[in-house]
């Protein structure tokens, strides 16, 4: 009997030690957790991306070239996915969130939260880079903050069209670029095709953004992201560049805002119609399709967790 009491006491003490080592959950509300993660991962992505642009522009080619910007945004996206991927999905892009809602992978009630978080993260990142490069920017432009011209600096924060580009040409550019982004993202996450290997998703997505940058960045800087463009543009409007940030390029500002939303849905829809809808539903012996289907169903079930606010 005495041995039994000692065993029980030992078990209780071990349970107490186990409970003491468990991390405390500070935030149980899923919406708050998602919002904070999406804000932070967007902030990280934008700081690295905008920082690479600021370094190239103010360094006048001595501290990097256009490829540096492509690498900065690509690797920034990869780091952003690491920061928030398991919590919010690390969309970091309103076109991605909108497309996920269109295809039932994200609840519509979550869309305002995602967009607000992305806007906040992008705005704060623009402010951070302005502060870090404040002296460099003013030394480069002589204290005259301009949107166009040889010493223009507004392009550090938001995208502007090349002088030869028409609004229609720019609109097509943004639709196509974002369509390719979402089409490839759908492929990378399709468990019944050839998805990115487990654990390599961040670098795969980063390489995708890098690829779009080095192939489709000439016309207007490949925004392919409404929140990435409009939030820093708003920052520059209040930070000294004025309303010219909205007038430049024949009123260019709405193109990277609307084009990516349309392009994202078109790209994801194209993949779904031409590839995803035609996956076999019945497996042949040894082909493993049903196992992959079960894995995809499990992933989708986990993904739907973020659609419910506890």
């Amino acid at each position: 009997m005495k041995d039994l009491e000692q065993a029980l006491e030992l078990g209780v003490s071990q349970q107490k030690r186990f409970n003491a080592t468990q991390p405390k959950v500070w935030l149980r509300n899923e919406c708050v957790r998602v919002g904070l993660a999406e804000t932070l991962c967007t902030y990280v992505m934008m700081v690295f991306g905008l920082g690479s642009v600021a370094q190239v522009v103010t360094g006048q080619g001595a501290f990097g070239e256009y490829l540096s910007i492509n690498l900065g945004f690509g690797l920034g996206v990869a780091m952003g996915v690491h920061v928030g991927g398991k919590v919010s999905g690390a969309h970091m892009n309103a076109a991605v969130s909108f497309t996920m809602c269109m295809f039932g992978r994200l609840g519509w009630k979550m869309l305002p939260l995602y967009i607000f978080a992305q806007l906040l993260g992008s705005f704060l990142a623009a402010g951070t880079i302005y502060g870090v490069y404040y002296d460099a920017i003013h030394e480069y432009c002589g204290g005259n903050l301009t949107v166009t011209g040889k010493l223009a600096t507004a392009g550090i924060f938001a995208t502007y069209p090349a002088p030869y580009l028409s609004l229609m040409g720019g609109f097509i550019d943004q639709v196509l670029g974002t369509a390719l982004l979402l089409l490839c993202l759908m492929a990378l996450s399709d468990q019944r095709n050839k998805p990115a290997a487990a654990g390599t998703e961040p670098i795969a997505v980063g390489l995708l953004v890098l690829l779009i940058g080095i192939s489709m960045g000439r016309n207007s800087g490949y925004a392919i992201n409404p929140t990435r463009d409009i939030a820093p543009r708003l920052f520059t409007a209040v930070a000294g560049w004025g309303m010219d940030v909205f007038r430049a390029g024949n009123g260019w500002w709405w193109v990277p805002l609307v084009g990516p939303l349309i392009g994202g849905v078109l790209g994801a829809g194209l993949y779904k119609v031409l590839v995803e809808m035609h996956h076999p539903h019945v497996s042949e012996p040894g082909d493993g399709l049903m196992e992959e289907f079960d894995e995809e169903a499990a992933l989708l079930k986990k993904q739907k967790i973020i659609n419910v606010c506890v």
Side-chain angles (χ1 to χ4, degrees):
M1 187 67 179
K2 186 176 181 180
D3 292 340
L4 178 60
E5 291 177 354
Q6 290 176 344
L8 289 174
E9 290 175 358
L10 180 61
V12 171
S13 64
Q14 289 178 340
Q15 182 64 35
K16 287 180 178 179
R17 286 198 299 271
F18 177 76
N19 291 337
T21 60
Q22 292 298 301
K24 185 174 182 179
V25 180
W26 291 98
L27 293 173
R28 296 184 181 276
N29 188 295
E30 195 71 24
C31 287
V32 176
R33 292 177 62 244
V34 167
L36 291 175
E38 187 68 12
T39 300
L40 184 59
C41 66
T42 304
Y43 175 82
V44 168
M45 180 266 288
M46 290 295 291
V47 164
F48 285 127
L50 297 181
S52 65
V53 182
Q55 179 167 290
V56 170
V57 171
T58 60
Q60 304 183 61
F63 297 94
E65 299 178 350
Y66 181 67
L67 183 59
S68 303
I69 298 172
N70 301 147
L71 289 169
F73 270 106
L75 293 174
V77 166
M79 293 302 104
V81 175
H82 276 295
V83 169
K86 284 291 185 179
V87 183
S88 68
H91 295 180
M92 301 178 285
N93 185 335
V96 174
S97 301
F98 180 73
T99 302
M100 294 301 102
C101 289
M102 288 292 293
F103 288 90
R105 299 190 179 191
L106 180 70
W108 283 102
K109 66 181 179 181
M110 297 292 286
L111 184 60
L113 174 62
Y114 272 81
I115 291 178
F116 176 77
Q118 293 157 8
L119 288 171
L120 179 61
S122 297
F123 190 91
L124 293 175
T128 299
I129 293 303
Y130 181 61
V132 170
Y133 281 94
Y134 179 86
D135 293 330
I137 291 173
H138 283 264
E139 189 276 336
Y140 171 76
C141 67
N144 185 24
L145 301 177
T146 58
V147 179
T148 59
K150 186 177 180 180
L151 298 179
T153 48
I156 292 174
F157 302 94
T159 64
Y160 294 88
Y164 61 81
L165 190 67
S166 66
L167 285 179
M168 180 56 68
F171 186 79
I172 294 172
D173 172 88
Q174 288 299 294
V175 169
L176 178 59
T178 316
L180 290 172
L181 172 68
L182 267 296
L183 188 155
C184 293
L185 286 177
M186 293 285 282
L188 288 172
S189 62
D190 188 351
Q191 298 301 312
R192 297 164 66 195
N193 196 350
K194 296 293 290 184
T200 68
E201 296 91 343
I203 193 63
V205 176
L207 287 172
L208 171 58
V209 174
L210 171 63
L211 179 60
I212 294 173
I214 62 178
S215 61
M216 304 190 69
R218 173 69 177 92
N219 285 335
S220 60
Y222 73 108
I224 59 173
N225 183 341
T227 43
R228 167 264 178 274
D229 194 82
I230 192 64
R233 193 180 299 275
L234 288 170
F235 174 82
T236 53
V238 300
W241 281 266
M243 295 306 293
D244 281 346
V245 299
F246 294 102
R247 289 190 286 262
N250 294 319
W252 166 262
W253 68 271
W254 66 270
V255 176
L257 197 63
V258 178
L261 297 177
I262 297 173
V265 175
L266 290 177
L270 190 64
Y271 181 83
K272 193 171 186 68
V273 169
L274 297 183
V275 178
E276 189 177 297
M277 290 176 60
H278 308 295
H279 288 321
H281 294 287
V282 179
S283 65
E284 295 296 332
D287 65 5
L289 285 177
M290 289 307 296
E291 287 79 3
E292 293 180 3
F293 178 79
D294 292 338
E295 290 176 7
E296 183 179 25
L299 288 173
L300 289 175
K301 184 177 180 181
K302 289 180 181 179
Q303 195 174 43
K304 288 181 179 178
I305 293 176
I306 64 175
N307 300 345
V308 181
C309 296
V310 180

